[in-house]
């Protein structure tokens, strides 16, 4: 998500498509620029942490899953997953869907965290946000009742970003739209519903512009991802813009749990 006030472009409509700030009104879905920020305050994480960040396109190069030493949570046992340093990785997805997004997570807290990490990464990818395919993308990862509202947030977020920066598309060659998932905190895990605070960094703006307010700015902030267990997988139910904290240089930032990155072929 991306918005404008949260991190320069962080809440876009609240938020949606990126994580920048500087006064952008853009929204990057699940990336801090397009979903309105919730009032909830994230608590310390519980359970395993995802192992990687996924890059949405069909040529994505990495996937997110929970860390080896942590967490299972309640639910069915996770399927056999790849290992790292000889240990099985909790939360590992079992397949990649037609949009290059990892899906098929175990019914555990670790699986929910991994799902949120990958879903937020996917929505922060400009190539996933353009064109008329956003509904199909959400159809592949979200609850049926959430497809339309999430799609509208992304569409509105893109429109605000384009207006703010006077560009024809967020994929305009002169426009920089880069967001990276850094870490997470679990907010709650109850009754097959899990909420995770996803911390990201971003750079959004127009390269070579004389207006310093439109030039790329480095920002950071959180997106609140909620997933529900449905149809034997974790499905995105809600995505909102969280606070534009913690600052990278603060002690609070050290408490953010890191994702473990799992590489995968690009072809």
């Amino acid at each position: 998500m991306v918005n404008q006030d949260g991190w320069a472009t962080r809440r876009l409509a609240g938020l949606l498509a990126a994580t920048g700030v500087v006064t952008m009104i853009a929204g990057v879905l699940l990336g801090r620029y397009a979903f309105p920020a919730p009032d909830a305050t994230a608590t310390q994480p519980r359970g395993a942490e995802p192992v990687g960040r996924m890059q949405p396109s069909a040529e994505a190069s990495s996937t997110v899953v929970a860390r080896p030493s942590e967490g299972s949570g309640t639910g069915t046992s996770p399927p056999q997953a790849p290992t790292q340093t000889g240990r099985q990785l909790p939360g590992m997805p079992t397949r990649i869907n037609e949009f290059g997004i990892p899906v098929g997570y175990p019914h555990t807290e670790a699986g929910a965290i991994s799902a949120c990490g990958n879903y937020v990464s996917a929505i922060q990818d400009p190539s996933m946000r353009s064109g008329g395919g956003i509904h199909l993308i959400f159809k592949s990862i979200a609850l049926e009742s959430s497809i339309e509202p999430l799609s509208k947030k992304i569409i509105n977020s893109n429109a605000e970003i384009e207006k703010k920066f006077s560009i024809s598309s967020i994929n305009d060659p002169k426009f920089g739209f880069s967001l990276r998932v850094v870490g997470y905190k679990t907010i709650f895990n109850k009754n097959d519903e899990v909420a995770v605070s996803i911390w990201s960094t971003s750079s959004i703006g127009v390269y070579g512009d004389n207006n310093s307010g439109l030039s790329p700015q480095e920002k950071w902030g959180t997106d609140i991802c909620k997933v529900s267990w449905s149809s034997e997988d974790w499905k995105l139910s809600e995505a909102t813009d969280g606070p534009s904290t913690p600052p990278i240089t603060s002690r609070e930032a050290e408490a953010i749990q890191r994702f473990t990155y799992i590489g995968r072929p690009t072809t």
Side-chain angles (χ1 to χ4, degrees):
M1 316 238 209
V2 190
N3 179 350
Q4 284 247 102
D5 300 312
W7 1 1
T9 284
R10 177 182 144 9
R11 298 177 188 257
L12 227 205
L15 159 126
L16 250 232
T19 273
V21 177
V22 177
T23 40
M24 318 189 193
I25 239 187
V28 175
L29 181 72
L30 279 187
R32 269 235 61 71
Y33 295 92
F35 293 132
D39 297 327
T41 300
T43 61
Q44 288 298 320
R46 311 173 339 192
E49 72 181 84
V51 179
R53 180 182 82 74
M54 108 146 211
Q55 264 187 332
S57 65
E59 300 182 351
S61 61
S62 58
T63 298
V64 161
V65 279
R67 259 189 198 187
S69 61
E70 303 182 27
S72 36
T74 58
T76 57
S77 299
Q80 190 64 35
T83 61
Q84 185 178 53
T85 63
R87 294 184 294 175
Q88 186 170 331
L89 295 174
M92 191 74 182
T94 58
R95 62 188 185 281
I96 304 297
N97 72 12
E98 65 270 36
F99 300 103
I101 303 174
V103 294
Y105 298 91
H107 189 186
T108 62
E109 182 175 331
I113 293 169
S114 295
C116 275
N118 285 314
Y119 295 164
V120 169
S121 292
I123 298 171
Q124 288 177 339
D125 187 321
S127 68
M128 302 286 275
R129 300 168 59 89
S130 60
I134 193 66
H135 286 82
L136 294 176
I137 290 173
F138 279 121
K139 186 176 181 180
S140 74
I141 61 174
L143 293 176
E144 184 174 355
S145 59
S146 300
I147 295 172
E148 189 59 29
L150 289 173
S151 297
K152 284 184 177 180
K153 287 180 180 179
I154 287 290
I155 292 170
N156 292 337
S157 172
N158 287 349
E160 292 193 39
I161 293 174
E162 292 160 5
K163 180 180 180 180
K164 166 67 181 180
F165 292 97
S166 299
I167 55 176
S168 59
S169 164
I170 61 172
N171 286 296
D172 188 311
K174 67 181 180 182
F175 186 64
F177 189 80
S178 176
L179 299 114
R180 295 288 185 271
V181 165
V182 178
Y184 76 91
K185 280 187 179 181
T186 298
I187 298 174
F188 71 76
N189 175 9
K190 185 177 181 180
N191 300 328
D192 282 346
E193 292 188 351
V194 179
V196 182
S197 175
I198 301 294
W199 192 46
S200 302
T201 61
S202 69
S203 174
I204 299 175
V206 179
Y207 294 113
D209 196 290
N210 293 325
N211 184 338
S212 60
L214 299 181
S215 298
Q217 302 290 321
E218 182 181 18
K219 301 297 176 179
W220 55 83
T222 57
D223 293 297
I224 307 303
C225 168
K226 294 182 181 179
V227 290
S228 299
W229 184 254
S230 177
S231 301
E232 299 304 309
D233 202 358
W234 288 106
K235 297 289 187 177
L236 183 63
S237 60
E238 188 178 345
T240 57
D241 189 22
S244 56
T245 56
I248 294 175
T249 54
S250 71
R251 279 287 186 182
E252 185 184 358
E254 296 179 11
I256 299 293
Q257 300 298 300
R258 296 183 180 183
F259 285 98
T260 299
Y261 295 84
I262 304 300
R264 66 185 180 85
T266 57
T267 57

